[in-house]
Amino acid sequence: MAEVAALAGVSTMTVSRALRDPSTVTDGTMRRIRSAIDATGYVPNRIAGSLASRRSNIVGVIVPSLRNSLFAETIQGIADALGSAYDLMIANSGYSLPGEETAIRAFLAQRVCGIVLHNARHTRESTDLLREAGIPCIETGNLVSRPIDMTIGFSNREAARAMTAHLVARHYRRIGFVSLPVRENDRAAERRAGYLAALAEAGIEVDPSLVLESPPGLRGGAEALVTLMALSPRPEAAFLTGDVLAVGALLEANRRGWSVPGDIAIAGSDDNELHSQVSPPLTSLRFPRYEIGRLAGVMLLERLQGNTRAPAIVDLGFEIVERASV
Amino acid sequence: MAEVAALAGVSTMTVSRALRDPSTVTDGTMRRIRSAIDATGYVPNRIAGSLASRRSNIVGVIVPSLRNSLFAETIQGIADALGSAYDLMIANSGYSLPGEETAIRAFLAQRVCGIVLHNARHTRESTDLLREAGIPCIETGNLVSRPIDMTIGFSNREAARAMTAHLVARHYRRIGFVSLPVRENDRAAERRAGYLAALAEAGIEVDPSLVLESPPGLRGGAEALVTLMALSPRPEAAFLTGDVLAVGALLEANRRGWSVPGDIAIAGSDDNELHSQVSPPLTSLRFPRYEIGRLAGVMLLERLQGNTRAPAIVDLGFEIVERASV
DNA sequence: TTGAAAGCGGTACCAG
DNA sequence: CTGGTACCGCTTTCAA
């Protein structure tokens, strides 16, 4: 920068100002600075800038896994909302709470200006660190009643309850439920709770053999369906929630020649294009993943710029997309 | 840090050293520093550290889109290889070359210690910036003959050529080809070139009406297949490469009752679990996306730590996974 | 509108 | 093994 300043015949202060707000500098000065920048190939050093100004333009995002396109939706939403004024630092917790804590520490050390989390459960340390950091923090994976700072999303419990109730309303009584393992996964736990609540409301007794956990992936869903179909009496419907479990189950039914919903009705969650393209198309829960990210970005910006203390809890809801599989 | 040093009764220098390499400090000193850190809740400031040491622990990754799980695979590979010693900064180019350049500038300003790109084509400015930055840079989306620095991946052209040749070997002569739009997408362009090369080698004349471009997504593939099937004479096989086009095509065939491969053989690329679970399972090209990322991370580490000037071009190849759709 | 001086919170380097 | 002293490259603050 000193080089640029010398070449433009001004002080570094003027260059610094010109770069951040061209309107504070004379047109002629600005032009000389510009050409000096071109001539020297100057690339500003944001590290120095951040240190001096004590603020950064980096937003930290922590997701359980990078591989899963669900999280990618949200990340894209955040990126779109933040535009090019902020950079995204992304870490994955590996679906573990200590993993999340490690990432939080790294982000705090990097002095990110805001953090977006997917988990709604954290280690005690994580919560403390975040509270004391004094930066905006948004939890997105599950609507929590008492967020660290802000939370945007939907209630996994309500969503699962609604879908189960939907199946009950369609006169299914014996309904299988498959989720990802609930341990260390608050979303899965909440969904199971929603399923149980809906059954209780409908006065249907829970058959524990109908409640399964499955590893993620199409195969996981396929195998869970086979397990359910081997029971006697068979369930009339299966609600597979999490990842692509329901799609996996449907494809298995296709392979085995089981009629859907004739032999077994299938409902899923995390609706995406795949759900509408399989045969029969799958009834499923639609979650506003992208919108959650976008809004998280917008709220972050508001806090970062205007200091508007936005509402702390935003429920973006969910939607039941009815198709032919139920 | 000054606070920690005071509390531990040592200089800041000692704290700094203790944090980076505990073995350079007495056990007793280390203990006192540790408890001082706990007592004060000190969170190191990497911004200051990076500025002073003139090196950062941030690796920048630029992908066309965050939404696509293909790129997510590679990113996860990088993250796994780098471990917790480095942080990942991620930007998306929005599939545009200027978008990529913007991201590169931002990363360079952030003084990342290394960059991983998906694109193999860049703006002139991008290339210049990268060359002058003096940091390791890995291009991964397509094996280039003259990389900016290093390239890891596979040849899109060779892969498409191999699959087309595979179809020819199976006695298909009239072979449709569908890719994403080739403009601004070097991977798609290369694949088309590979298809054309294979036909030429087999002495099959190209029918331009068999060569299509499609928007991404299952619907894109479905519509492309319908277009191909409306031709007369119909093609005997269709090679859809890019995104999930082939899966979309197969699901459309399922819906329309077209027999695969009886009425039309279908081959795809970017094999994943879905390809093996549909009916019939899809023959497709498998690309080592995760491995590309992992190796990129490893090579970055080597350069960053040991200064081993690793080979600049690493071809990880591809594989044809034969299933029942061809 | 522009400039000079004093840090931001660490680390490099050298001395003890 | 530990400490002192310059900086890293920019921004803040205040003065011109």
Side-chain angles (χ1 to χ4, degrees):
Chain A
M1 188 179 218
E3 198 184 343
V4 174
L7 224 165
V10 294
S11 73
T12 60
M13 221 20 261
T14 304
V15 176
S16 173
R17 264 192 299 256
L19 253 30
R20 279 173 303 157
D21 184 0
S23 72
T24 58
V25 174
T26 316
D27 275 9
T29 308
M30 191 67 216
R31 250 203 328 281
R32 295 209 313 285
I33 291 179
R34 279 225 182 290
S35 60
I37 287 178
D38 288 345
T40 57
Y42 170 70
V43 178
N45 185 331
R46 275 206 170 289
I47 294 191
S50 294
L51 181 61
S53 65
R54 301 138 150 295
R55 72 186 111 74
S56 84
N57 64 330
I58 302 175
V59 171
V61 181
I62 304 176
V63 290
S65 160
L66 295 163
R67 267 179 150 127
N68 197 317
S69 51
L70 303 186
F71 310 133
E73 279 291 296
T74 304
I75 296 175
Q76 184 72 59
I78 300 171
D80 289 351
L82 293 177
S84 59
Y86 291 82
D87 290 315
L88 241 44
M89 199 165 251
I90 299 184
N92 69 309
S93 67
Y95 290 96
S96 99
L97 266 32
E100 187 189 51
E101 185 181 321
T102 301
I104 290 173
R105 280 184 194 286
F107 282 169
L108 257 25
Q110 217 66 250
R111 295 296 188 269
V112 297
C113 63
I115 285 192
V116 181
L117 303 173
H118 189 80
N119 260 16
R121 271 177 52 204
H122 322 280
T123 64
R124 174 108 199 88
E125 268 295 283
S126 297
T127 310
D128 290 348
L129 282 167
L130 254 13
R131 276 197 209 293
E132 277 154 36
I135 57 174
C137 165
I138 306 187
E139 295 161 271
T140 63
N142 189 37
L143 217 57
V144 286
S145 48
R146 191 175 145 288
I148 294 177
D149 181 17
M150 299 181 265
T151 180
I152 303 178
F154 57 91
S155 162
N156 285 279
R157 182 187 301 231
E158 284 309 306
R161 205 177 59 72
M163 179 58 93
T164 307
H166 175 75
L167 292 171
V168 170
R170 292 291 191 118
H171 308 298
Y172 297 107
R173 307 280 300 175
R174 204 167 153 66
I175 304 170
F177 176 83
V178 184
S179 71
L180 300 179
V182 300
R183 188 176 154 61
E184 296 244 332
N185 184 333
D186 51 334
R187 282 90 65 202
E190 285 289 297
R191 293 186 194 174
R192 180 187 286 181
Y195 161 80
L196 296 175
L199 290 193
E201 282 163 23
I204 299 175
E205 198 176 342
V206 177
D207 177 347
S209 67
L210 288 177
V211 181
L212 304 180
E213 287 187 342
S214 159
L218 296 169
R219 289 283 343 138
E223 280 157 21
L225 183 69
V226 171
T227 303
L228 286 175
M229 292 295 276
L231 297 173
S232 67
R234 277 187 182 178
E236 302 142 3
F239 172 26
L240 298 96
T241 175
D243 201 49
V244 287
L245 295 181
V247 175
L250 181 69
L251 293 176
E252 181 70 18
N254 285 167
R255 285 192 295 267
R256 303 226 179 198
W258 291 332
S259 154
V260 177
D263 294 324
I264 179 95
I266 298 180
S269 67
D270 261 307
D271 189 67
N272 62 35
E273 201 190 5
L274 197 46
H275 292 75
S276 71
Q277 296 294 306
V278 290
S279 306
L282 277 165
T283 286
S284 71
L285 284 163
R286 176 176 292 156
F287 302 136
R289 301 271 181 204
Y290 176 82
E291 190 57 21
I292 288 171
R294 217 192 48 76
L295 190 57
V298 168
M299 288 178 69
L300 233 33
L301 280 182
E302 267 176 17
R303 279 282 271 279
L304 258 20
Q305 300 177 335
N307 276 317
T308 336
R309 181 87 193 187
I313 300 183
V314 181
D315 188 347
L316 253 30
F318 56 85
E319 196 183 332
I320 292 179
V321 183
E322 297 186 42
R323 299 208 185 85
S325 69
V326 165
Chain B
M1 186 177 220
E3 198 184 341
V4 173
L7 224 164
V10 294
S11 73
T12 60
M13 228 11 265
T14 303
V15 176
S16 172
R17 265 193 300 255
L19 253 32
R20 280 174 302 157
D21 184 358
S23 73
T24 58
V25 174
T26 316
D27 276 9
T29 310
M30 191 65 216
R31 250 201 328 281
R32 294 210 313 286
I33 291 179
R34 279 225 181 293
S35 59
I37 287 177
D38 289 344
T40 56
Y42 169 69
V43 179
N45 185 332
R46 276 209 170 287
I47 294 193
S50 294
L51 180 61
S53 66
R54 300 137 151 296
R55 70 186 114 73
S56 83
N57 63 330
I58 302 175
V59 171
V61 181
I62 304 176
V63 290
S65 159
L66 294 163
R67 267 179 151 128
N68 198 318
S69 51
L70 303 187
F71 311 133
E73 277 294 295
T74 304
I75 296 175
Q76 183 72 58
I78 300 171
D80 289 350
L82 292 177
S84 59
Y86 292 82
D87 290 314
L88 241 44
M89 200 165 248
I90 299 183
N92 68 309
S93 67
Y95 290 94
S96 101
L97 266 31
E100 187 189 52
E101 185 181 322
T102 302
I104 290 172
R105 279 184 195 285
F107 282 169
L108 258 26
Q110 217 67 248
R111 294 296 189 270
V112 296
C113 62
I115 286 193
V116 181
L117 302 173
H118 190 81
N119 260 17
R121 270 178 52 208
H122 321 280
T123 65
R124 176 108 198 87
E125 268 294 285
S126 297
T127 309
D128 291 347
L129 282 167
L130 256 13
R131 275 194 210 294
E132 278 154 35
I135 57 174
C137 164
I138 306 186
E139 294 161 271
T140 63
N142 190 37
L143 217 57
V144 286
S145 50
R146 191 176 145 288
I148 295 177
D149 181 16
M150 298 181 266
T151 179
I152 302 177
F154 57 89
S155 162
N156 285 278
R157 182 187 302 229
E158 282 311 306
R161 204 177 59 73
M163 179 58 93
T164 308
H166 176 74
L167 292 172
V168 170
R170 293 289 192 118
H171 307 298
Y172 297 106
R173 306 280 301 172
R174 202 165 152 68
I175 303 170
F177 177 84
V178 185
S179 70
L180 300 179
V182 301
R183 189 177 151 62
E184 296 244 331
N185 184 334
D186 51 334
R187 282 91 62 203
E190 285 290 298
R191 293 185 193 175
R192 182 188 283 181
Y195 161 81
L196 296 175
L199 290 193
E201 283 164 24
I204 300 174
E205 198 174 342
V206 177
D207 176 348
S209 66
L210 289 177
V211 180
L212 305 181
E213 287 187 342
S214 159
L218 296 169
R219 288 279 349 134
E223 280 157 22
L225 182 69
V226 171
T227 304
L228 286 176
M229 291 296 274
L231 297 174
S232 66
R234 276 187 180 177
E236 302 140 5
F239 173 26
L240 298 96
T241 176
D243 201 48
V244 288
L245 295 181
V247 176
L250 181 68
L251 293 176
E252 180 71 19
N254 285 167
R255 285 192 295 268
R256 303 226 178 199
W258 290 332
S259 154
V260 177
D263 295 324
I264 178 96
I266 298 181
S269 66
D270 259 309
D271 189 67
N272 61 35
E273 204 191 2
L274 198 47
H275 292 75
S276 70
Q277 296 293 306
V278 290
S279 306
L282 276 165
T283 287
S284 71
L285 285 163
R286 175 175 292 155
F287 302 137
R289 301 271 182 204
Y290 176 83
E291 191 56 22
I292 289 171
R294 217 191 50 77
L295 190 58
V298 168
M299 289 178 68
L300 232 33
L301 280 181
E302 266 175 18
R303 280 282 271 279
L304 258 20
Q305 301 177 335
N307 278 317
T308 337
R309 182 84 195 184
I313 300 183
V314 181
D315 188 347
L316 253 29
F318 56 85
E319 197 183 330
I320 293 181
V321 183
E322 298 186 44
R323 299 208 186 84
S325 69
V326 165

